[in-house]
């Protein structure tokens, strides 16, 4: 049990579908993150929320839409994705908003395949 | 440019042998330095971190890392590897920039352990 739970674990979707990834943290943290992990590439930060306010958006295409309704839940809404969006999407949380003063706690990820 | 380099993509060591995983960070890192480990099918877990003080830091699972400013390196070591250490290891460095700093990850080093 990592304290950060992601669902689903695996997702296969067509390019015209709409789906959502869910993340829930049980650690009382104030910040939540979405990362994209692709083969042979460094982990890419997508979005950061601190106290439910988005503080970072790293030039992510608009086909990815995050939502943070409260400090325990984070969603990533997906629509009209491309095959190159296939990757492992990791959610993380931390006490602070940088991942430095307190370490990042990661979920086990959602393996997304876009067909 | 902000970057973290892990020169070795894949390393294989025998169980019981010593291990060193290399990490170099580009100029401009704070340096707040981290090593994370990712076991198959799981998210990343913090092994250890360096902020200041003693340049040799101890982490979980018997790992240690040494910060060498002159070499811009933060190599991870373990004196005797166990089969359960087989995983992917990620070095990360924190860079200040604008209103929000960035935690930059390397591409990772996959460790295989042979009996």
């Amino acid at each position: 049990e990592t304290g950060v739970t992601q669902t689903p674990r695996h997702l296969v979707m067509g390019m015209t579908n709409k789906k959502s990834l869910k993340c829930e943290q049980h650690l009382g943290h104030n910040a939540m993150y979405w990362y994209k992990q692709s083969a042979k590439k460094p982990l890419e930060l997508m979005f950061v929320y601190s106290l439910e306010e988005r503080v970072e958006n790293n030039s992510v295409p608009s086909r990815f839409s995050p939502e943070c309704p409260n400090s325990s839940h984070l969603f990533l809404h997906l629509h009209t994705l491309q095959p190159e969006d296939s990757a492992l999407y990791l959610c993380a949380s931390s006490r602070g908003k940088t991942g430095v003063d307190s370490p990042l706690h990661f979920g086990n990820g959602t393996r997304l395949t876009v067909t | 440019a902000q970057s973290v380099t892990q020169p070795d993509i894949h390393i294989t060591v025998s169980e019981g042998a010593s291990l060193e995983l290399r990490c170099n960070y580009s100029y401009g890192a704070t340096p707040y330095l981290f090593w994370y480990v990712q076991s198959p099918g799981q998210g990343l877990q913090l092994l250890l971190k360096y902020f200041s003080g003693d340049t040799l830091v101890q982490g979980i699972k018997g790992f240690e890392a040494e910060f060498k400013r002159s070499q811009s390196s933060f190599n991870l070591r373990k004196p005797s590897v166990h089969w359960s250490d087989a995983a992917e290891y990620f070095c990360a460095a924190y860079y200040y920039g604008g209103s929000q700093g960035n935690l930059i990850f390397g591409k990772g080093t996959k460790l295989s352990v042979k009996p």
Side-chain angles (χ1 to χ4, degrees):
Chain A
E1 174 59 54
T2 65
V4 178
T5 305
Q6 289 187 244
T7 54
R9 288 299 306 272
H10 301 273
L11 178 63
V12 179
M13 60 186 288
M15 288 190 284
T16 58
N17 291 158
K18 289 185 181 181
K19 296 285 185 182
S20 296
L21 309 185
K22 180 182 176 182
C23 176
E24 184 174 1
Q25 59 98 358
H26 315 277
L27 301 167
H29 288 167
N30 295 325
M32 297 187 77
Y33 309 74
W34 280 117
Y35 280 90
K36 178 183 179 182
Q37 187 176 30
S38 306
K40 297 183 172 54
K41 285 187 175 182
L43 213 59
E44 300 172 56
L45 178 63
M46 301 175 72
F47 301 103
V48 181
Y49 277 83
S50 177
L51 297 173
E52 301 143 49
E53 179 183 339
R54 191 189 306 181
V55 296
E56 187 81 17
N57 177 350
N58 277 355
S59 302
V60 178
S62 60
R63 57 186 184 268
F64 294 92
S65 174
E67 178 190 1
C68 187
N70 55 63
S71 59
S72 299
H73 293 87
L74 184 65
F75 296 89
L76 188 62
H77 304 299
L78 316 170
H79 64 97
T80 57
L81 294 191
Q82 304 299 311
E84 60 264 28
D85 296 323
S86 299
L88 182 68
Y89 288 84
L90 290 165
C91 174
S93 69
S94 68
R95 272 205 309 274
K97 66 178 181 180
T98 65
V100 171
D101 44 334
S102 71
L104 296 171
H105 290 254
F106 284 86
N108 289 338
T110 294
R111 173 68 63 186
L112 174 67
T113 304
V114 181
T115 61
Chain B
Q2 301 169 352
S3 66
V4 174
T5 302
Q6 293 180 247
D8 304 305
I9 296 173
H10 190 183
I11 284 182
T12 300
V13 300
S14 297
E15 192 168 14
S18 63
L19 171 71
E20 182 168 26
L21 302 182
R22 296 183 289 164
C23 172
N24 293 94
Y25 59 90
S26 63
Y27 177 79
T30 43
Y32 297 148
L33 300 164
F34 307 80
W35 276 99
Y36 281 84
V37 61
Q38 185 178 31
S39 298
Q42 298 192 8
L44 281 71
Q45 179 187 19
L46 181 68
L47 277 178
L48 49 77
K49 62 184 178 183
Y50 172 79
F51 282 5
S52 64
D54 192 347
T55 55
L56 185 65
V57 293
Q58 303 298 319
I60 62 172
K61 305 185 182 187
F63 284 92
E64 65 178 27
E66 186 171 14
F67 168 59
K68 293 186 178 179
R69 186 185 297 273
S70 61
Q71 299 177 16
S72 297
S73 71
F74 188 55
N75 294 350
L76 182 71
R77 301 195 294 246
K78 186 168 184 177
S80 176
V81 168
H82 188 262
W83 64 266
S84 60
D85 293 325
E88 192 153 17
Y89 292 81
F90 295 89
C91 181
Y94 187 74
Y95 291 82
Y96 283 120
S99 60
Q100 178 76 13
N102 290 307
L103 187 62
I104 305 294
F105 285 83
K107 291 184 181 181
T109 297
K110 185 174 180 181
L111 173 66
S112 297
V113 180
K114 59 183 181 182

